[in-house]
Amino acid sequence: MTESIGDDDAPRTFVPEAGEDDVARPRLLDRLTAAMDEPWTLTLVTAPAGAGKTRLLARWAQMIDAEPDTAVVWVSFQRGDVDLSLLRSALERIDDARLQESLAKVPRAVSSDTGRSLARVLRAPPRRIVLVFDDVHLIRTPELADMLSGFVQAVPGNAHVVLSGRGTRLIRVARRRIAGIALELDNADLAFTPAEVRSFFRANGIPVSQGEITKILQRTEGWAAGLRLMVLAGAAHADITDSALRGDAPALVDYFLEEVFADLDEELREFLLITSVPEAFSLDLAYRLAPGAPAAALVERLVQLSVLMGRRGSDPVWYHYHPLLREFLAARLRDRGRAVVDRLEKETAEWFAEQQEHLPALRHATQSSDPACISVVLRRCGMQLILTGHACAVIEAIGTMPAPLRSDAAVQMLVAAAELARGDASAAAAVLATARDRDGSAATRQWLTGLDLHTAVRRGGITEALARLGRAFDIVTGETQLDTYAFLQAAMGELYVGHLDRAERYARSAADQARAAGAITAELQASAVLNTSALFRGRMRDVLASGARLDARWRELGMPDDPFYEVTRVWRYWVPYERLQAVDAEQTFREAAAIIDSGSEPAISRGLQGLMALLNAEGAPDPRSAATTLLETLVPRDDMPLPPHWYAMLGTFAVHAFDRLGEPNLRDQFIADTERALGTSGEVVVLRAIAALNDHRHAVARETLAPVLDGSMTCALPASMVDAWLVAAALDVHAGDSERAQASLSLALSLAESEEHVRRIAAADPAVIRLLGARATAGTRTRFADTVRERLIAAGLLVDTELTHRERIVLLALSRNATLRQIAQEEFISPNTVKTHVRNIYRKLGVSDRDSVTAAAHALGIE
């Protein structure tokens, strides 16, 4: 066959001119240049249409062609080419006699031997020859593919070949790819970087900010043609990201019809349209959307044509189209009618739901306009997202729905649950106000039940909600997500009213359901209820043990940010705080602050602010301000309910803090507010007795405390009885009943020992501390009593020395108002020795005057 080349084809053998808006891309130009010095002789540039292949190679070719020892040969293929006549024509222009002599000997036949002969010609010239073959994907005939394959395989070491196109298709280069003896640049390599985007738009006279660059890259994925189209569409806009570049914009329609659809047959076009509905698809999803179509073969063809922009994963592999191409396809799909789009969206939503890909399922369901699909997917996937901590994504997905669909009852209930999860109860209240009839399906009733109590937990009225709902929470619908949600709200509600047994039962059910559904946030919340219940029961060891197990589970779940998990970490700080052990308070504050800043649990946030105020009250530079903050953050509020055990746990420490800050009026207001919320409980009685003791109203304190001590009034917290007996011991000391004081202290120590409630002892009346320090009774000489003394000593609250026998004799004499000289005469010791004993007594008992010495003697039973 005779080769010929016409005048119209001649430009295809010249390097294209660089555009005015071309951007220098040194990171790619350097890689191309460096490849020429490698042992291999081949570079592959494979990327979709519009990726900037030709412009990049043209700029590089112009750059290296300026070197005296390098010659560049350029050949652009097009449909209909059958031989390498263009290559021969380009080589004939090289000014080298030896090359031209060798070229004249190569036959003009169409065969792979001819391709190899043309390659051997390149050995003749002393210069390096670089050959760029552009648009190789347009080669259609096996004969031309064989010729070019033979040429590439026979290229000598002084030459370098670049094959550029959307794919190499028929050209045999697979072995070189596998062996890694070729430079490969693909779509990811050619994608514009942020710096290149900035340079590109600046070259077109459009300045862009960093935020705009981010939006541009999200829209174009760094695709060169997409960037140029955005420039064209946005030239008249001050903000390039405000330009309306829709998938059906004329510039895009023309581009995609010419550059993408022109290469596709009808079967591929149909498959392309259908599979563009999801943002990404697997082969399994493709078979679901296009039943009967050979999806695997069609995907492979689209990959070869570089229409599929990328793939990720391995099992399964996921494919996606360029965002702008997908917009174009969506516009063409809409032309077929709403029914077609709705069917595909429904199929996609149901498939994702089956795969437990909840967010894409929800997004496609909201676009399907199918009420049945929306209702089922919202209940399962929407609630699953809420239970896994993605309430904001649910709100965002629903916001894309048409207005009529947003008024659907199922949609409104999901919005309510999502807003509740974010801390806003108003949407739920509105839904519940219109949901007078609870006679719908079991799933709907379960959903409304959960919403009802969740709203009460947020806004108050938990007791009334529990009474209204009765045993509704004991129903299991079989829809795991709704059952998890309902059990979780039941656990929280029962915890908040102090029914710990019920709270734990519902929390265990919620945790089981959550684990089965993979609902991370719900599982952590249920675990937090169990951990908190253990704390309220006074089981400090259980708090630490369950917290350690929760830590391990939290790591298994990927260490998610979760406010309820952080609550359990705070409890694990509270345990050593109650035990008067050294802890990192600053770390705890940071953990608490993370919850406060989240804003999703306002009541818990306020409670933790109160905890922080309590811990910071010690040594506060402004006592009045510290006391005010303590009152504002610790008193119960109806609109921000917290469990009664919370106030029982902190109340004692708060009352002591108010007294240390010198604010008895604020203290009494705190007690009154606590009583209004909790009723006249055992804890409130103990708080009033502590206040009366601190005010030296001993008779009132004893009368107030009596119902707790005789058992006619119970306390919610076991530790409250420790406080009660410590108050009794102090009252006994002040009454001069040393034997009874020692018995009361021994009982308090016995109750405190199992969980090491040392801080409550440290906060007791100073007379009780002196009694403990003197080891006056058997109860104060136990191993636990020694532990208490050690921690009090470490905290600077007790002196680490017991009174000697001689010091006890001197103390008795002092309590009877004997003078130092009289004591010296009675004990046959010198006055200086008596003075030494007195100094030691004052130091050991922590007193500074004779009156305090007398009180200490009574406390120790030395009379």
Side-chain angles (χ1 to χ4, degrees):
M1 179 176 179
T2 304
E3 297 175 318
S4 62
I5 174 171
D7 292 340
D8 292 340
D9 291 327
R12 293 197 283 135
T13 62
F14 290 92
V15 177
E17 292 293 331
E20 293 182 0
D21 61 350
D22 276 358
V23 174
R25 309 182 73 184
R27 65 183 180 89
L28 297 175
L29 297 175
D30 290 347
R31 289 182 66 184
L32 290 167
T33 302
M36 295 192 302
D37 295 326
E38 296 292 342
W40 58 72
T41 58
L42 178 64
T43 290
L44 301 171
V45 182
T46 308
K53 302 180 294 296
T54 300
R55 288 178 180 250
L56 172 69
L57 292 173
R59 192 178 190 94
W60 177 65
Q62 292 168 0
M63 182 180 74
I64 62 174
D65 196 35
E67 299 294 330
D69 60 345
T70 302
V72 175
V73 173
W74 185 284
V75 175
S76 295
F77 290 103
Q78 65 182 20
R79 295 182 185 88
D81 286 340
V82 296
D83 56 34
L84 292 179
S85 57
L86 283 176
L87 173 60
R88 181 185 288 271
S89 177
L91 290 173
E92 287 174 348
R93 290 203 303 271
I94 296 178
D95 185 13
D96 186 281
R98 292 173 57 189
L99 184 146
Q100 297 304 327
E101 181 181 347
S102 299
L103 186 60
K105 298 176 182 178
V106 177
R108 295 182 178 270
V110 178
S111 70
S112 57
D113 287 339
T114 302
R116 282 190 284 270
S117 297
L118 286 173
R120 286 192 288 270
V121 167
L122 302 177
R123 299 174 182 172
R127 288 190 294 172
R128 169 180 283 168
I129 307 294
V130 175
L131 303 103
V132 180
F133 295 96
D134 197 20
D135 290 335
V136 295
H137 63 280
L138 296 177
I139 296 175
R140 292 289 191 269
T141 64
E143 293 81 7
L144 177 53
D146 284 345
M147 288 183 71
L148 186 54
S149 297
F151 178 85
V152 171
Q153 292 166 4
V155 164
N158 67 313
H160 193 86
V161 175
V162 178
L163 300 181
S164 174
R166 301 179 201 174
T168 51
R169 302 190 67 183
L170 301 177
I171 306 167
R172 297 187 295 275
V173 293
R175 289 185 180 179
R176 293 203 181 193
R177 278 186 160 136
I178 294 172
I181 53 175
L183 169 66
E184 287 195 71
L185 298 180
D186 59 16
N187 185 50
D189 296 307
L190 268 63
F192 274 58
T193 65
E196 290 169 343
V197 169
R198 184 186 299 278
S199 298
F200 175 75
F201 277 88
R202 186 177 295 162
N204 284 275
I206 303 175
V208 287
S209 67
Q210 190 59 48
E212 290 170 331
I213 290 173
T214 300
K215 293 179 182 178
I216 291 167
L217 286 173
Q218 287 174 345
R219 194 77 187 283
T220 64
E221 294 186 353
W223 180 46
L227 295 172
R228 289 187 172 85
L229 288 168
M230 287 197 78
V231 166
L232 290 174
H237 291 73
D239 182 353
I240 185 66
T241 59
D242 286 340
S243 60
L245 183 59
R246 292 174 48 83
D248 54 358
L252 277 175
V253 171
D254 293 343
Y255 182 85
F256 285 125
L257 285 176
E258 178 182 348
E259 296 293 337
V260 177
F261 268 43
D263 283 336
L264 309 181
D265 56 31
E266 189 58 36
E267 184 180 37
L268 270 181
R269 291 183 184 187
E270 184 68 15
F271 183 79
L272 191 67
L273 280 172
I274 290 173
T275 53
S276 69
V277 171
E279 290 184 1
F281 66 91
S282 65
L283 282 178
D284 189 40
L285 177 54
Y287 281 118
R288 178 75 165 263
L289 294 174
L298 296 176
V299 164
E300 186 59 33
R301 289 174 62 187
L302 290 173
V303 169
Q304 291 175 353
L305 292 169
S306 291
V307 175
L308 281 168
M309 296 294 292
R311 64 176 81 191
R312 58 181 173 82
S314 57
D315 187 20
V317 176
W318 287 84
Y319 305 92
H320 80 280
Y321 300 112
H322 189 280
L324 289 175
L325 173 59
R326 187 165 171 258
E327 289 181 22
F328 163 76
L329 296 171
R332 293 182 69 83
L333 199 57
R334 284 194 298 269
D335 292 340
R336 299 191 176 188
R338 185 70 227 182
V340 174
V341 176
D342 286 351
R343 179 186 67 79
L344 292 171
E345 293 284 5
K346 177 177 179 291
E347 291 287 347
T348 304
E350 292 176 347
W351 185 88
F352 275 116
E354 292 167 7
Q355 306 302 312
Q356 297 190 18
E357 294 283 347
H358 305 290
L359 186 54
L362 178 63
R363 286 172 176 164
H364 287 287
T366 58
Q367 297 299 317
S368 72
S369 301
D370 184 298
C373 174
I374 291 173
S375 179
V376 172
V377 171
L378 287 184
R379 287 205 309 268
R380 295 180 181 174
C381 297
M383 186 55 70
Q384 179 76 12
L385 287 166
I386 292 173
L387 294 174
T388 52
H390 296 93
C392 292
V394 172
I395 298 296
E396 181 183 348
I398 291 176
T400 65
M401 295 174 62
L405 286 177
R406 288 202 297 272
S407 62
D408 180 82
V411 174
Q412 289 299 304
M413 286 192 291
L414 186 64
V415 170
E419 292 291 4
L420 279 167
R422 299 202 304 179
D424 182 1
S426 56
V431 169
L432 292 169
T434 59
R436 305 295 183 190
D437 183 8
R438 295 175 182 269
D439 295 331
S441 67
T444 299
R445 290 196 301 273
Q446 185 82 315
W447 202 342
L448 288 170
T449 297
L451 287 174
D452 198 343
L453 190 47
H454 199 171
T455 303
V457 169
R458 285 276 188 252
R459 304 178 74 174
I462 301 173
T463 302
E464 295 79 3
L466 288 170
R468 181 172 61 251
L469 297 170
R471 300 187 65 81
F473 293 107
D474 292 334
I475 298 172
V476 178
T477 68
E479 291 200 19
T480 306
Q481 289 78 14
L482 287 183
D483 290 337
T484 301
Y485 179 65
F487 286 141
L488 201 54
Q489 304 319 314
M492 291 291 289
E494 299 289 6
L495 179 75
Y496 272 49
V497 297
H499 298 158
L500 301 185
D501 288 340
R502 295 180 192 172
E504 289 177 1
R505 177 163 63 86
Y506 285 124
R508 291 190 183 95
S509 297
D512 291 342
Q513 296 275 1
R515 277 191 289 270
I520 295 173
T521 298
E523 182 183 344
L524 293 175
Q525 185 174 353
S527 298
V529 171
L530 293 169
N531 189 261
T532 303
S533 179
L535 180 75
F536 289 166
R537 291 181 185 276
R539 298 199 297 253
M540 301 295 195
R541 290 180 175 83
D542 288 353
V543 172
L544 298 178
S546 63
R549 290 193 297 271
L550 184 57
D551 259 345
R553 179 62 178 154
W554 177 68
R555 291 188 179 90
E556 289 176 6
L557 296 173
M559 298 187 291
D561 291 332
D562 182 85
F564 288 100
Y565 169 73
E566 293 298 329
V567 167
T568 66
R569 296 182 70 183
V570 172
W571 292 163
R572 275 170 279 159
Y573 165 78
W574 182 261
V575 170
Y577 177 82
E578 278 236 33
R579 291 177 171 179
L580 201 64
Q581 293 172 318
V583 290
D584 184 358
E586 184 179 351
Q587 175 65 23
T588 303
F589 292 164
R590 286 197 296 269
E591 293 164 1
I595 305 168
I596 294 168
D597 292 341
S598 73
S600 61
E601 297 294 333
I604 295 176
S605 296
R606 179 173 176 270
L608 291 174
Q609 287 175 334
L611 174 60
M612 293 169 64
L614 180 63
L615 300 180
N616 286 324
E618 196 76 40
D622 185 347
R624 177 67 182 181
S625 176
T628 302
T629 301
L630 204 59
L631 184 68
E632 290 174 348
T633 53
L634 277 184
V635 295
R637 275 177 51 175
D638 292 338
D639 61 335
M640 288 190 181
L642 283 172
H645 293 78
W646 166 269
Y647 302 108
M649 183 179 74
L650 296 182
T652 298
F653 302 107
V655 168
H656 286 306
F658 281 120
D659 281 320
R660 286 196 303 273
L661 294 169
E663 294 292 343
N665 292 333
L666 295 183
R667 176 204 65 194
D668 292 342
Q669 183 180 338
F670 168 77
I671 295 173
D673 289 340
T674 302
E675 184 171 11
R676 276 193 292 273
L678 306 184
T680 309
S681 64
E683 271 74 20
V684 172
V685 167
V686 173
L687 295 183
R688 291 199 175 281
I690 292 173
L693 173 63
N694 290 339
D695 292 344
H696 305 290
R697 294 181 293 123
H698 298 158
V700 173
R702 187 174 294 280
E703 180 181 357
T704 302
L705 191 61
V708 172
L709 297 182
D710 64 22
S712 61
M713 184 173 288
T714 60
C715 293
L717 287 182
S720 297
M721 291 305 299
V722 176
D723 295 324
W725 284 108
L726 288 170
V727 172
L731 291 172
D732 294 336
V733 169
H734 292 296
D737 191 340
S738 61
E739 184 175 344
R740 188 173 176 181
Q742 293 163 7
S744 296
L745 176 58
S746 295
L747 187 53
L749 287 169
S750 177
L751 292 172
E753 182 173 2
S754 61
E755 300 297 341
E756 299 183 33
H757 292 292
V758 179
R759 185 170 291 276
R760 293 176 184 271
I761 299 171
D765 190 273
V768 175
I769 303 300
R770 290 194 293 269
L771 193 63
L772 175 68
R775 300 172 175 85
T777 67
T780 60
R781 291 194 290 272
T782 63
R783 180 177 297 178
F784 176 64
D786 289 340
T787 299
V788 174
R789 279 187 287 269
E790 289 171 3
R791 293 181 190 171
L792 293 177
I793 291 165
L797 302 174
L798 185 66
V799 178
D800 184 21
T801 307
E802 188 176 3
L803 294 177
T804 65
H805 175 70
R806 178 69 71 178
E807 287 167 351
R808 283 174 170 271
I809 293 173
V810 173
L811 175 59
L812 176 60
L814 288 172
S815 68
R816 294 174 180 171
N817 294 319
T819 65
L820 299 185
R821 183 175 296 279
Q822 289 171 337
I823 296 172
Q825 292 172 349
E826 290 176 3
E827 296 301 319
F828 302 102
I829 56 179
S830 71
N832 287 336
T833 301
V834 174
K835 290 179 182 179
T836 299
H837 287 319
V838 170
R839 282 197 298 270
N840 289 339
I841 290 169
Y842 275 49
R843 177 177 58 81
K844 290 179 181 181
L845 296 182
V847 298
S848 58
D849 53 48
R850 181 64 71 96
D851 290 340
S852 299
V853 166
T854 301
H858 287 305
L860 297 176
I862 301 174
E863 301 180 81

